Amino acid sequence: SRGLGDVYKRQIKDGVLDGVDIVVGSHIRPVQDLPFGKYCASVNHVACATVEVRIDGKQAHAARPHLGINPIEAASQYIASVGLIKIDPNKSWSVKPTQIHSEVGATNSIPSFVKIAYDLRAQDNAALEAIIGRMKLAAAGLEGCFGAKASCEVTEYCPGPEYDEALGELFKDCLLYTSPSPRDVEES
């Protein structure tokens, strides 16, 4: 929770972890990741990010769309372009729009802007960075196609971990030693 994060930051600042070389934690996982009653030394998570795209057009009356720049049309092109992103097919990744917003108002006018939020997931940090780079290129291309200006901002970023194989094996040995049955220990 956000409140606990502040507590942990204060504890670190107060020196609670001075002299600590490693911190180990456990986490309950969704049943899709690890079935109930099973244990795993390392459930590898992925790198993830939230990207917000803002497309600025030019407001106009819908009866005279040629006098404006329709950011909704530019957004539809952008969403299609992002859907065509290709990176290494041997890596697991996804990019999908999760929100789209524009002005609230009359339905007979071209709005001045559109905002799109995306959720990104990737097997590793390099794949995540490749997706973000291609999204920024797609945003830059909207000005040439539509005259719309677009910004592409990473608002949340969680890098993927770099796992220590020896530590993972140590955890697995501990699980095998402490679990009710070795059959309850899943492979990482």
Side-chain angles (χ1 to χ4, degrees):
S1 105
R2 293 184 190 271
L4 285 177
D6 293 337
V7 171
Y8 298 147
K9 288 176 186 174
R10 271 197 316 275
Q11 288 176 339
I12 291 168
K13 185 179 174 187
D14 292 344
V16 171
L17 293 177
D18 289 354
V20 174
D21 293 326
I22 190 167
V23 175
V24 177
S26 64
H27 194 288
I28 298 170
R29 299 297 300 181
V31 70
Q32 294 86 352
D33 292 348
L34 193 63
F36 179 75
K38 297 290 184 178
Y39 306 93
C40 187
S42 173
V43 180
N44 300 347
H45 73 85
V46 298
C48 58
T50 299
V51 173
E52 292 183 2
V53 178
R54 180 183 170 110
I55 302 169
D56 290 304
K58 182 179 176 190
Q59 205 166 25
H61 193 280
R64 292 171 185 75
H66 60 286
L67 298 176
I69 297 171
N70 192 330
I72 295 174
E73 293 172 346
S76 66
Q77 177 67 39
Y78 183 81
I79 291 169
S81 295
V82 169
L84 295 172
I85 289 175
K86 304 288 184 256
I87 64 167
D88 185 346
N90 296 311
K91 292 185 178 181
S92 173
W93 61 277
S94 68
V95 56
K96 60 266 172 214
T98 56
Q99 293 181 1
I100 187 165
H101 304 275
S102 190
E103 294 173 300
V104 176
T107 58
N108 65 343
S109 67
I110 305 292
S112 63
F113 75 91
V114 169
K115 290 182 182 179
I116 311 167
Y118 278 88
D119 177 83
L120 285 63
R121 308 288 165 136
Q123 183 174 330
D124 58 33
N125 299 324
L128 187 65
E129 289 298 328
I131 296 167
I132 292 169
R134 288 183 174 90
M135 290 179 75
K136 288 181 177 182
L137 286 173
L142 292 178
E143 188 163 4
C145 291
F146 293 92
K149 296 194 184 314
S151 62
C152 184
E153 179 184 355
V154 177
T155 58
E156 294 180 32
Y157 189 92
C158 179
E162 296 178 14
Y163 290 97
D164 181 318
E165 288 185 36
L167 187 57
E169 285 301 314
L170 176 63
F171 290 159
K172 184 175 178 182
D173 290 345
C174 289
L175 282 174
L176 287 169
Y177 180 75
T178 60
S179 71
S181 165
R183 291 180 307 212
D184 293 337
V185 178
E186 297 279 321
E187 287 297 318
S188 302

